[in-house]
Amino acid sequence: MSKNLSRIRPTISDVAELAGVSIATVSRVLNDPTVVADVTVERVQDAIGALNYRPHAAARVLASRKTKTIGLMLHEISGSFFPPMLAGIETGAREHGYDLLIHATPIQDTKQHLPPALGEHNTAGLLIFTDSIADEEIGRLHNLGFPQVLLHRSAPEGLDIPCVTFENKAGARKLVDYLIEQRGYRRIAFLKGPEGNEDSFWRETGYRESLENHHLPVEPELIGFGGFHGEEAAHTIETWLKQGLDVEAIFAGDDESAAGVVTALHAAGLKIPEDIAVVGFDDVPLSRYLTPALTTVRAPIKTAGYEAARQLINLIEVGEAEPLILLPTHVIIRRSCGNTEEEEVVLGET
Amino acid sequence: MSKNLSRIRPTISDVAELAGVSIATVSRVLNDPTVVADVTVERVQDAIGALNYRPHAAARVLASRKTKTIGLMLHEISGSFFPPMLAGIETGAREHGYDLLIHATPIQDTKQHLPPALGEHNTAGLLIFTDSIADEEIGRLHNLGFPQVLLHRSAPEGLDIPCVTFENKAGARKLVDYLIEQRGYRRIAFLKGPEGNEDSFWRETGYRESLENHHLPVEPELIGFGGFHGEEAAHTIETWLKQGLDVEAIFAGDDESAAGVVTALHAAGLKIPEDIAVVGFDDVPLSRYLTPALTTVRAPIKTAGYEAARQLINLIEVGEAEPLILLPTHVIIRRSCGNTEEEEVVLGET
DNA sequence: CTGAAAGCGCTTACAG
DNA sequence: CTGAAAGCGCTTACAG
């Protein structure tokens, strides 16, 4: 089939012949028409239209040593976090004329090489949202001068690779501050995200800082595993309830976990927030649909994706990027924490 | 920078030189080592390792006239429908060694050309999940013999392009059958999805068929707009409530809409299912987290994506594919329709 | 089992 | 403003 195709598809030579110019000229009108005489441009464009010519992308890449596609490596395509992030990246890429190549790494095999398709020859740069790529591989690419930007994770020791994420720590701290100061809770639990997840790490840090600032003890038994996953979180809550753990409020780590917590609590016949308050993080659409509506922290997930794409493209084209972009977050007060106002309240909105 | 890179990066010639063979031999061990003597393979692989050589993808594409990437065109990256679909596509592609290039079309500009990056030169085939690509463009590619597979939509008039979707009509019909036969509802509303959405069209058709089969009238006032979107659906419900519309049950078109319906109903102080029953379609994770848990139709979203990728790759490699794949769906009975069993029930599960 | 050589479809100095 | 020519890094008949 490809044989036939290549016979049917016009090349730059066909266009040149029909327009009565050299292929160099056709190439110029493709890349920068201003350097070509207007009449010539017109003739060439007519020929392109008549033949329905489309330049061969791989040939352009090879000849120009430039490619207009960026790669995205991530570990998992799921959850409500993923769509806005990807939408942001895609928008950022498209605005600058770049295409997006996606590669999801199976979770099991951590620490691997770059798949050839995302390699330094196929892609102008790489967005990394996973830790299942070996530090050595990141280092190798970095030493090659291959542009990379990290999303929601930090660079391997000693490598100055730009990172984009949002204010997890401050957001979590303010959220817990609110629970303590405005709601009067003392025994507040925290559910961790997946092992090694840096968003989770900083949220936990914010949680701890808030407790410490208020001279409350950080109780190990109040820190459980939620995995940023509804069912995992529900499972932890079921266990806690069985054990008769005494908690006033649960900071579920993210909204997905919070949804699981809410379900588990309801299933046990407990009322939210009367019996136990629940709060999340991210403010994904889901959080509004929970009953009661979820108090959470609004995270600019889409903007982070967008910024990451922009930084990467800047790195590719100009050679520079912000070392660290930390986007602000805002606490969103809804009913699940004990608030009784009709409307949601945004704390710290400017 | 790219200048530096190209100087640093080893090419096939460097490997050939180091291994003391021709570039043809290096190419062979890259593509089919069995045709090369074992000792030679070893020497070449040592050289590849020593130089950290990676073949240049674009050069391979150009020389071989084959590319191992498929394109995906879609209109929007959002909602709980999207992640499983993409995950399925990505898995299907990766299993066969293909990469995935994603292009989201802005919603406003409908009926457009293919972006060059997804063009017939850059990609071995295309998965289309949008109707904002002009029929003529699909036709042009089809006539060129360019492999395409459609997801959740049918082909333009007269073109035999494979489609992958699931049983929307039968699923919707069985769901409404259940509401009528087992729950005794008579006045059942339906919320349409986005204009032109074929999933919505077939769901509505199933809804109508069920009513007709039970000799119930199809009341135009009971058919509203939900847009497969929580807020749109909530808005319709608010309007209905203001008008004092008399409804017993609402089939929200999809789960996202159902979530909006649930919120709107709760906000109005109505009880689900006592005052009004609500059901959805898709069985995305969200549906379990609603209160009460949502009765819905389980749709194999991920499998559909996976199958679409498989069909496309089959079309690319073997030249054939199923003209139509219609994956089965199953009604999932939970609490929101008036069911009182603790556990969810799957109807028609084999 | 291996090499020399043509060719994939472009871009880009270099001349003019 | 335009053309001739080299070259991007591979693959693949064709010989041997």
Side-chain angles (χ1 to χ4, degrees), chain A residues 191-250:
Chain A
L191 261 33
K192 288 170 186 272
E195 183 65 34
N197 183 293
E198 297 189 15
D199 286 332
S200 176
F201 173 81
W202 291 111
R203 292 173 194 184
E204 181 176 343
T205 304
Y207 158 82
R208 289 171 181 267
E209 283 186 3
S210 176
L211 293 182
E212 281 159 15
N213 290 347
H214 292 87
H215 310 292
L216 292 172
V218 175
E219 317 243 24
E221 57 171 13
L222 289 182
I223 300 187
F225 181 71
F228 287 177
H229 188 102
E231 286 171 42
E232 304 268 19
H235 184 254
T236 295
I237 299 307
E238 286 157 16
T239 308
W240 279 359
L241 292 176
K242 231 171 278 169
Q243 295 171 180
L245 189 74
D246 176 30
V247 213
E248 295 173 331
I250 299 170

Side-chain angles (χ1 to χ4, degrees), chain B residues 88-137:
Chain B
I89 294 172
E90 214 277 340
T91 305
R94 186 158 34 73
E95 277 183 7
H96 298 272
Y98 281 74
D99 295 289
L100 225 208
L101 205 50
I102 286 201
H103 185 93
T105 61
I107 315 172
Q108 55 272 29
D109 63 3
T110 76
K111 310 307 172 199
Q112 61 180 9
H113 270 217
L114 199 62
L118 292 188
E120 62 272 28
H121 296 305
N122 204 24
T123 251
L126 190 60
L127 241 33
I128 300 177
F129 176 60
T130 174
D131 40 58
S132 64
I133 173 175
D135 283 359
E136 298 72 45
E137 181 75 351

Side-chain angles (χ1 to χ4, degrees), chain B residues 145-220:
Chain B
F146 186 66
Q148 301 172 82
V149 168
L150 302 165
L151 252 171
H152 299 280
R153 58 160 287 183
S154 50
E157 192 66 33
L159 299 183
D160 57 328
I161 300 177
C163 305
V164 178
T165 187
F166 36 67
E167 248 304 357
N168 285 295
K169 190 177 78 166
R173 181 162 33 72
K174 285 179 198 159
L175 175 64
V176 179
D177 285 351
Y178 175 87
L179 294 180
I180 297 170
E181 295 168 12
Q182 306 297 318
R183 294 287 139 214
Y185 299 121
R186 291 283 172 276
R187 291 185 58 80
I188 303 170
F190 177 76
L191 260 33
K192 289 169 185 272
E195 183 65 33
N197 184 292
E198 297 189 15
D199 286 333
S200 175
F201 173 81
W202 291 112
R203 290 172 195 186
E204 181 176 342
T205 303
Y207 159 80
R208 289 170 180 268
E209 284 186 2
S210 176
L211 293 183
E212 282 159 15
N213 290 346
H214 291 88
H215 309 293
L216 292 172
V218 175
E219 317 244 24

